[in-house]
Amino acid sequence: MQLTAPATRRTGIRDTDGMAVASFILGLLGLLVLNVFLGPIAIVLASVALWRGTQRRGRALLGLGLGVADLLVLVAFVQADSTISWNF
């Protein structure tokens, strides 16, 4: 007895599209707060979405770029004051 319907191809595409959007949002938020955590998560989500063939390729590429920018901002602040934490 099967309780759930089998996953269709459309569900997989929607999941990868969601990952692309999530990577963009987390990358954008990472520029403001918690870039040490949100940057790598954005990079991983964008990479997985691109690898799975998302239809929102541009959004995934923006998420990937923002994730990398998060880490670059972190490195810049660490070089400026020799600590991992920073504030406005």
Side-chain angles (χ1 to χ4, degrees):
M1 182 169 131
Q2 187 175 4
L3 297 177
T4 59
T8 63
R9 178 73 178 134
R10 182 71 190 139
T11 302
I13 291 172
R14 229 178 347 160
D15 290 344
T16 58
D17 290 348
M19 281 188 230
V21 172
S23 71
F24 173 72
I25 292 170
L26 292 176
L28 199 57
L29 284 173
L31 289 174
L32 301 174
V33 293
L34 297 173
N35 51 2
V36 69
F37 298 112
L38 296 180
I41 293 171
I43 292 170
V44 168
L45 283 175
S47 299
V48 170
L50 288 169
W51 182 71
R52 290 186 179 178
T54 182
Q55 292 181 349
R56 297 182 184 258
R57 185 170 172 79
R59 191 75 43 95
L61 290 172
L62 281 172
L64 185 63
L66 286 170
V68 170
D70 292 347
L71 296 179
L72 291 175
V73 166
L74 176 66
V75 168
F77 280 113
V78 166
Q79 291 296 321
D81 64 0
S82 299
T83 64
I84 291 180
S85 63
W86 59 277
N87 53 21
F88 293 106

